[in-house]
Amino acid sequence: MTTLIRDVMSSGTAAVEPMTTVARAARLMREEDIGDVLVTYDSDLFGVLTDRDIVIRAVAEGLDPAETTVGTVCTRPPVVTLAPDDTTDRAIELMRRHAVRRLPVVEHGGCPVGIVSLGDLAVTEQHPHAALLGVSEAAPNR
């Protein structure tokens, strides 16, 4: 049975504008217990900022998180995306091909409506014995 992205995606995703500081985005990630935020401008996807982007592209480069904007360190277009009616098989194929762990879900016109992560795919009924099942269900590190 084919599972649609709309059935496994997280629709309550956090978003920030490109001019938001890295420090503010990091606090939002902590408050929401998430590892990424969508970067949007005028309801369109501008990019994706992950906790790894913050470490590699900002902190490791000596940039000041209180002054640096997410627009300067986020992953910018072309960002690989999915539509809500795509399948989980398509998501897995895109994650493998592009070596990413999260994919924004956008509707026609590029408006973000959610995100699907490797953990979301690991717990689908289609893959009940996936190796990552226990990891994705584990309590977050504190």
Side-chain angles (χ1 to χ4, degrees):
M1 183 171 154
T2 302
T3 303
L4 297 179
I5 291 302
R6 73 171 66 257
D7 297 328
V8 298
M9 71 180 197
S10 299
S11 57
T13 58
V16 297
E17 292 186 339
M19 296 309 292
T20 304
T21 66
V22 169
R24 175 64 194 119
R27 285 191 300 274
L28 178 62
M29 288 179 186
R30 180 186 62 202
E31 292 163 6
E32 298 293 324
D33 193 26
I34 54 178
D36 62 272
V37 293
L38 298 180
V39 182
T40 59
Y41 186 75
D42 285 338
S43 299
D44 289 327
L45 184 64
F46 178 86
V48 177
L49 180 74
T50 67
D51 45 9
R52 185 173 181 356
D53 292 332
I54 293 171
V55 172
I56 301 300
R57 296 180 182 163
V59 176
E61 293 295 324
L63 301 177
D64 182 354
E67 298 292 325
T68 304
T69 63
V70 299
T72 62
V73 296
C74 70
T75 300
R76 303 271 305 268
V79 174
V80 181
T81 62
L82 291 166
D85 291 329
D86 280 332
T87 66
T88 54
D89 289 337
R90 172 103 173 111
I92 291 167
E93 187 264 323
L94 287 173
M95 286 180 177
R96 283 183 180 148
R97 183 181 332 150
H98 297 281
V100 295
R101 294 179 177 98
R102 303 168 181 99
L103 293 169
V105 181
V106 297
E107 289 186 331
H108 304 293
C111 181
V113 295
I115 197 157
V116 65
S117 70
L118 190 59
D120 295 329
L121 298 175
V123 297
T124 65
E125 291 180 29
Q126 187 175 2
H127 307 286
H129 303 294
L132 294 176
L133 182 61
V135 173
S136 62
E137 291 180 340
N141 293 335
R142 294 282 179 191

